[in-house]
Amino acid sequence: MNYRNFKNKEIAEVGLGTWQLGGADWGNVDEDVALQILQTYVDAGGNFIDTADVYGMGISEKIIGRFLKLQTKPLFVATKLGRRSDAPNGWPQNFTYDLMRKQVEDSLYHLGQSRLFLEQLHCIPTEEMKNGKVFNNLRHLKDEGLLSNWGASVETSEEALICLGQEGLASLQIIFNLFRQHVADEIFEKAAAKGVALIVRVPLASGLLTGKFDENTAFGEKDHRNFNADGEAFNAGETFSGIEFKQGIRFSKEIQNLLPDDRMAQWAIRWVLDHPQVTTVIPGASKVSQVKSNVAASGLQPLSAATHKKLRRLYDEEIQGAIRGHY
């Protein structure tokens, strides 16, 4: 595992996303399997784990909290707030200081921590970002010692640029993959100039960039790749990066033909890591084998400039125009 700098901490360039461990939106993952996934990741040299309070409404955080009690070496856990619907008036009216503080306190309790390493806004409404009060609340929470760093997970480049205008922003979490390449042009250099870490989510486009699906692949009833395939439940960009499934299968085959060999998932992650502004990429996993595959990308040699050029041409000419949802 190789490491990159995050506010003077060395974190693994391949992190672990834990949406799957919440037992919601991906189908159930047994707790014993979840703990095995976490241990496999740490045994491979990983030390950066990303979660959120709504991943199973606390289930993912609680499993991670139990796991942390068994560990002796430092691990860096990032969580997110802002999408809970159980606050008074429901989402998206839950951004007062008192409600944000309650959500931070709940995450601290679930994780068994006295201070969060990183708290992130969780794809909140653009207007709330423009208003700016949420950022003041995060600054206040940091001043109180409840968190060490704060950042934002965003859906669009517009939202990323709004956040980059905020003093004290430590990180941006963004969708960036072979189905969403233009993001690098719009925000990467700006983030680097401000010393803001880039955390890349959905690097495998909900599994489309593994090369393991075909036109007949079906997903479980509770899997977001079933119920949100066309953006019925939340932003279409969070599922298959906004690409229609069967069209994505075709694009994936074209991408595979441009890669050095059939390790498509690893090369897709390697492609992300080839961008030096990226701090860490956080693929999820519902199986131990997926963790091993994901972390192996850190040991691959960078893709050639010629391959990068071909992949970008394919994106510009065929893929970008097919993206749905707001981005």
Side-chain angles (χ1 to χ4, degrees):
M1 179 71 74
N2 295 310
Y3 302 85
R4 302 189 183 190
N5 185 270
F6 184 114
K7 298 299 178 183
N8 297 319
K9 302 291 186 182
E10 292 298 302
I11 68 170
E13 65 179 9
V14 179
L16 178 65
T18 60
W19 187 5
Q20 286 92 333
L21 306 191
D25 302 327
W26 291 88
N28 292 325
V29 174
D30 183 82
E31 182 173 335
D32 288 341
V33 174
L35 292 171
Q36 291 172 24
I37 286 169
L38 289 162
Q39 190 62 58
T40 300
Y41 172 68
V42 171
D43 288 346
N47 66 0
F48 184 78
I49 301 168
D50 179 83
T51 186
D53 56 6
V54 292
Y55 293 168
M57 288 303 294
I59 291 175
S60 176
E61 287 183 330
K62 290 174 183 177
I63 290 172
I64 293 167
R66 289 193 279 275
F67 177 75
L68 292 175
K69 291 179 181 179
L70 306 174
Q71 304 305 302
T72 57
K73 74 174 189 176
L75 299 176
F76 303 104
V77 178
T79 192
K80 299 182 283 292
L81 61 76
R83 296 195 68 88
R84 279 172 53 175
S85 59
D86 59 334
N89 302 318
W91 191 89
Q93 285 81 34
N94 54 353
F95 302 110
T96 66
Y97 170 76
D98 288 341
L99 287 173
M100 287 178 66
R101 193 180 202 281
K102 174 65 166 58
Q103 291 169 77
V104 168
E105 290 173 340
D106 287 349
S107 290
L108 286 168
Y109 177 73
H110 294 159
L111 292 166
Q113 303 292 296
S114 59
R115 177 182 295 180
L116 297 176
F117 172 69
L118 174 64
E119 180 67 274
Q120 304 158 99
L121 300 174
H122 196 175
C123 301
I124 70 171
T126 308
E127 292 306 312
E128 293 290 344
M129 296 184 194
K130 289 180 178 178
N131 177 284
K133 292 181 181 178
V134 287
F135 301 109
N136 289 332
N137 292 342
L138 288 168
R139 293 184 186 98
H140 191 181
L141 290 164
K142 181 178 179 181
D143 289 342
E144 288 187 299
L146 296 179
L147 47 104
S148 298
N149 302 286
W150 57 268
S153 181
V154 298
E155 299 278 14
T156 69
S157 290
E158 177 196 9
E159 292 169 353
L161 293 171
I162 292 169
C163 294
L164 283 171
Q166 293 290 331
E167 188 65 31
L169 181 78
S171 64
L172 275 174
Q173 187 173 139
I174 56 170
I175 296 175
F176 180 61
N177 58 45
L178 285 161
F179 287 167
R180 197 68 71 86
Q181 298 185 33
H182 70 278
V183 175
D185 307 333
E186 297 171 347
I187 66 172
F188 276 28
E189 291 301 331
K190 294 181 177 66
K194 289 182 172 291
V196 173
L198 291 176
I199 301 171
V200 170
R201 74 177 188 278
V202 200
L204 299 177
S206 309
L208 263 181
L209 290 169
T210 65
K212 296 180 179 179
F213 300 159
D214 61 31
E215 292 82 354
N216 299 313
T217 300
F219 302 98
E221 181 182 353
K222 295 183 178 180
D223 191 315
H224 74 102
R225 293 172 294 185
N226 174 26
F227 67 76
N228 195 59
D230 297 310
E232 299 96 325
F234 42 83
N235 180 24
E238 295 289 346
T239 303
F240 305 130
S241 292
I243 303 295
E244 190 274 328
F245 181 71
K246 290 185 178 179
Q247 195 171 34
I249 294 293
R250 179 173 65 81
F251 290 149
S252 295
K253 291 177 180 177
E254 293 186 52
I255 288 170
Q256 176 67 81
N257 291 334
L258 300 176
L259 298 174
D261 54 48
D262 62 0
R263 292 175 293 177
M264 187 175 187
Q266 293 180 25
W267 286 118
I269 294 172
R270 180 67 254 175
W271 177 88
V272 173
L273 294 174
D274 285 351
H275 296 78
Q277 301 91 345
V278 169
T279 305
T280 186
V281 55
I282 51 170
S286 56
K287 301 176 182 177
V288 166
S289 60
Q290 293 170 348
V291 180
K292 293 178 179 178
S293 172
N294 294 340
V295 298
S298 180
L300 293 178
Q301 291 297 311
L303 290 162
S304 69
T307 298
H308 274 276
K309 187 175 181 179
K310 292 175 183 176
L311 289 166
R312 183 56 190 258
R313 184 183 302 118
L314 174 63
Y315 178 76
D316 291 340
E317 294 178 356
E318 298 188 43
I319 299 174
Q320 185 174 6
I323 300 173
R324 305 169 301 169
H326 50 280
Y327 63 93

